Structure formats: C-alpha cells, structure tokens
Amino acid sequence: MTEQDTAGQNAGRRESGGLPATGRLVDSHPLLARLTGQVVWNLAEEAGADDDECGLFMDHYAAWREAALAVLERLRDAPGGGLRLVVDGGDRADACPECVALHGVVLAGTHPDLAAWLPPFSIGCHCRAEYVEPAEMAVAGQHLPSAGLQPPAHRLCCPHRPLSLLLAQLAQSQGR
C-alpha cells in the first residue's frame, strides 16, 4: 500500500479511534453492525417469545442500541474524549466475569483497538460505555485494562445471560 493510498484511506476518519467521520456509526460496532431487526426478532422467537414478547424485546433492543450509538456519536463528534466501561452496581451480580473485570477501564477515543473494546458485547450485555469529556481525559488519562485482560468476544448472546433469561426479565418488569 502506498503512502497516498493510506492517506486516502484515513481521509474519511477523524482522530477519534478510527470511528468514521461520516456514514453510519452502527457499521463501526462489531456486534451492532450484524444485528438487523429481523435477526433480533428471529432470535427472540427462537428463545420462545410470542409476538407480544417479541415486540417488547424489540422496543428494549431499540432503546439499548440507540444508547450505545449515542455514546459513539459523542465520541466521534468530540475528538479528545474517551470511553469509560461501566457495569452498574445493581447489575454486577448478574454480569459475566469478563464484563465485571472491565468496570472502570477508560480508553482514549484514539485507542488503536477501540472497536474491540466497545460494549455491548452481546444482546443483553450488562457492560456499557460512558463518554468521558476531553478535559477529564486530559487530567485523568486512560485507565487501561490490567495486563493480559482481553476484551470479551462480540457475540449474539451472552452465555452468562441467555436470551430466554433476558426475555423473562423483561416480561417480569412489565408485570407479565
């Protein structure tokens, strides 16, 4: 690859960890890029959900997806910021050990492998990202994962929280 090819390839990117400066942010997320509405609906059906439960799950999924993408949008639009990986206190008992180990990790938006560390790592994942302002990044800097810690694989369903369990939790929260 020539220097000109590399420059052209990087022209559509910002100094925000390789997130695209234009286009769909969902395409830069290793899991969310693979999840169409039809895939999510089919997963819910395969987990035993009826049409009403599938609809409830789709609403949950849409809100969850939009929250994840809103954080990426802020990161893309404010170079110099970062991401804090968080598992809320109430969720830690139910979260998988891989995600709990990531709690508190802060990555600069320019981290070279940012996409690999982007939660959610599966449907129903308890780990999420919070945007860290550039001023906080300048003062506190990164809090990198401990040596040897790898990001969880981005997969459709978490083995610690199967989709059938998530569906039951959603139904219970709706009084069903």
Side-chain angles (χ1 to χ4, degrees):
M1 182 176 284
T2 68
E3 188 174 324
Q4 185 177 15
D5 291 337
T6 304
Q9 199 174 35
N10 292 331
R13 302 202 179 267
R14 283 192 185 172
E15 187 186 329
S16 62
L19 295 178
T22 59
R24 296 171 4 125
L25 273 175
V26 69
D27 293 334
S28 64
H29 193 285
L31 172 65
L32 299 178
R34 302 183 315 194
L35 294 174
T36 65
Q38 186 65 45
V39 168
V40 173
W41 185 278
N42 287 345
L43 286 170
E45 279 185 332
E46 287 179 12
D50 62 24
D51 284 349
D52 289 338
E53 292 167 326
C54 284
L56 178 65
F57 181 68
M58 290 300 293
D59 291 344
H60 168 78
Y61 171 75
W64 178 74
R65 179 181 184 270
E66 289 308 310
L69 293 176
V71 172
L72 294 183
E73 185 174 4
R74 265 191 91 194
L75 183 63
R76 179 183 68 184
D77 294 344
L83 295 177
R84 177 179 295 112
L85 306 183
V86 177
V87 177
D88 293 324
D91 288 340
R92 285 193 199 133
D94 295 327
C96 64
E98 294 85 359
C99 287
V100 171
L102 296 177
H103 180 74
V105 167
V106 177
L107 301 169
T110 56
H111 189 282
D113 295 323
L114 188 65
W117 294 93
L118 289 176
F121 297 104
S122 62
I123 294 175
C125 182
H126 287 286
C127 190
R128 63 183 174 81
E130 294 178 341
Y131 178 74
V132 179
E133 296 289 341
E136 184 181 342
M137 288 300 299
V139 172
Q142 296 189 80
H143 300 282
L144 296 172
S146 58
L149 184 64
Q150 297 295 314
H154 287 92
R155 53 185 152 215
L156 293 178
C157 298
C158 176
H160 194 76
R161 189 181 194 195
L163 198 51
S164 57
L165 175 60
L166 178 59
L167 287 166
Q169 290 169 337
L170 286 173
Q172 184 180 21
S173 73
Q174 296 294 311
R176 292 180 173 206

